[in-house]
Amino acid sequence: MTNQSSPSTVGTAIELNGISKAFGPVQANSDVNLSVPKGTIHGIIGENGAGKSTLMSILYGFYEADSGEVFVNEKKVNIRNSNDAIATGIGMVHQHFMLVDTFSVLENVMLGAESGEVLKDSIEKAETELTRLEKEYGLHVPMHSLIEDLPVGQQQRVEILKALYRGAEILILDEPTGVLTPQETDQLFKILEALRDQGVTVILITHKLREIMAITDNVSVMRHGTMVAHRKTSETDREELAELMVGRKVRTKADKQKAQPKETKLKVENLSVFDQFNVARVDNVSLDLRAGEIVGIAGVSGNGQSELLEALSGIEAVSKGSFTLGDITIDADNPKNAKEMRDLGLAHVPEDRLHLGLVPSFSAHESSILGYHRDKEFNGPILSKVGNIVNYCARIMNDFDVRPQDPSLKSANFSGGNQQKLILAREMDRNPPILLVGQPTRGVDIGAIEFIHQQIIAMRDAGCAVLLVSVELEEIMSLADRILVMFEGRVVGEIEADKADEKILGLMMANAHKTSPDGEITA
């Protein structure tokens, strides 16, 4: 770490004393203390529901604490709303960006911070200041482009620019890499280091231990609404932090035996999927998936992995080529929809759980049968069999440790990890012969990751053929038996998982590798 200055040397940017906050019977924060030195990157970690986002929302003025004191730059402050926070030099980049898609970068940065009565003067001032900020911090974004035309990584830069434009000296980032590719994450870290070097204090809320170890100077650990530990990052490791987060020892690498693959369950031949502009999103892909193995698909997000899963699951139509399950072949002339694919024994855990995996406004028991709601077990001649549905949901919630185990609770009110476990439970409970899994642990905390990985491996060991898509290379290398890499819609290489490392996969993901006649992959 380049900055390990002690608080006594550099002063304190943020100090929280005895912060408590309850929402009805739920104690989100309980007597929390935190001290963040100026000009450092300070990580706050904990499982989903540990209280870290609530704590930072109090600091940013979204909530008022029930008790406790807040000090900013060693002065006691009363932050009642986000305007108060901004006035004290605090900015926040939320997990879900707060940008107007149809506005330009410049318009988004200015919005709510216009100066004077003449808009032209505000625009000129904003352009000058944005140019300065971009140069100073390496936050290069096309100023006049619409937000909807920018990739996610650049949209996040706009959020950071918004905060800096408003004079932020303390920047809070809530799960900032949840929607980023590994390359975008690396770019973000360079920006955060530049901010720190210029004296900005960064507070990073995350549950990803690799990121904590890579970028932070200090780290604080929360569990069940309390602060349980503070560490210098250089004096701890992932194993200790994982145990502090969960309260028990946690395996940070999946424990599995060598695969024993059997017959082919899914055969994909020269499959292509074209979008509405006739661009090939999946381009002539072929692969075999066998019972008792996990095939991982790696690649930078946006290289056709999502479209491949959607085609195989019946969501998207096949444009060219085909795929076969048993003696059933699906192609452009013989399509199958998602219901028909389920009837053929193919289960699908979608990448986007909120839009494709469940309905946030539905209760858990309603979301627990989506896609299977026509089954006689759940559906009567006129009305649904609500009692059966509730009992079924309660059982799979218990089997997959979904918390809280309340079938009547709205799906939106579960943490991301518990939403994911509910979807996995629904798709795995029927022991399908083929399981497609997209981004199984996106936005999921470490305790839930361990559990989800165990369940996927158990499905493999029970004879299921698993096709796994993930942008997390660690996850791909930990779970997969074979790894395929996609680039611009094509499969550009295949490697046995025990021969793969991040360097090799990185070369393959950039299509910068070479394959020797005996199959060895090199730079």
Side-chain angles (χ1 to χ4, degrees), residues 40 348 368 421 500:
T40 62
H348 177 214
S368 74
K421 286 194 282 188

mmCIF file of all heavy atoms in Angstrom, residues 40 348 368 421 500:
data_model
loop_
_atom_site.group_PDB
_atom_site.id
_atom_site.type_symbol
_atom_site.label_atom_id
_atom_site.label_comp_id
_atom_site.label_asym_id
_atom_site.label_seq_id
_atom_site.Cartn_x
_atom_site.Cartn_y
_atom_site.Cartn_z
ATOM 1 N N THR A 40 -7.188 8.607 2.788
ATOM 2 C CA THR A 40 -6.991 7.159 2.716
ATOM 3 C C THR A 40 -8.183 6.520 2.007
ATOM 4 O O THR A 40 -9.234 7.140 1.825
ATOM 5 C CB THR A 40 -6.867 6.529 4.118
ATOM 6 O OG1 THR A 40 -8.095 6.743 4.849
ATOM 7 C CG2 THR A 40 -5.721 7.128 4.894
ATOM 8 N N HIS A 348 -32.954 -22.827 -15.612
ATOM 9 C CA HIS A 348 -32.175 -21.624 -15.943
ATOM 10 C C HIS A 348 -32.195 -20.645 -14.776
ATOM 11 O O HIS A 348 -33.260 -20.215 -14.334
ATOM 12 C CB HIS A 348 -32.780 -20.973 -17.196
ATOM 13 C CG HIS A 348 -32.108 -19.696 -17.602
ATOM 14 N ND1 HIS A 348 -32.785 -18.641 -18.175
ATOM 15 C CD2 HIS A 348 -30.802 -19.293 -17.522
ATOM 16 C CE1 HIS A 348 -31.949 -17.654 -18.425
ATOM 17 N NE2 HIS A 348 -30.749 -18.026 -18.046
ATOM 18 N N SER A 368 -41.341 -18.087 -5.945
ATOM 19 C CA SER A 368 -40.742 -19.424 -5.821
ATOM 20 C C SER A 368 -41.283 -20.425 -6.833
ATOM 21 O O SER A 368 -40.716 -21.515 -6.984
ATOM 22 C CB SER A 368 -40.947 -19.975 -4.406
ATOM 23 O OG SER A 368 -42.291 -20.388 -4.214
ATOM 24 N N LYS A 421 -30.545 -17.078 -3.686
ATOM 25 C CA LYS A 421 -30.744 -18.430 -3.157
ATOM 26 C C LYS A 421 -32.165 -18.929 -3.408
ATOM 27 O O LYS A 421 -32.377 -20.121 -3.659
ATOM 28 C CB LYS A 421 -30.408 -18.467 -1.663
ATOM 29 C CG LYS A 421 -28.907 -18.409 -1.387
ATOM 30 C CD LYS A 421 -28.550 -18.790 0.037
ATOM 31 C CE LYS A 421 -28.814 -17.700 1.020
ATOM 32 N NZ LYS A 421 -28.288 -18.009 2.370
ATOM 33 N N ALA A 500 -5.597 -23.526 -16.029
ATOM 34 C CA ALA A 500 -5.899 -22.114 -16.254
ATOM 35 C C ALA A 500 -5.415 -21.255 -15.100
ATOM 36 O O ALA A 500 -5.361 -21.688 -13.953
ATOM 37 C CB ALA A 500 -7.410 -21.935 -16.435
#
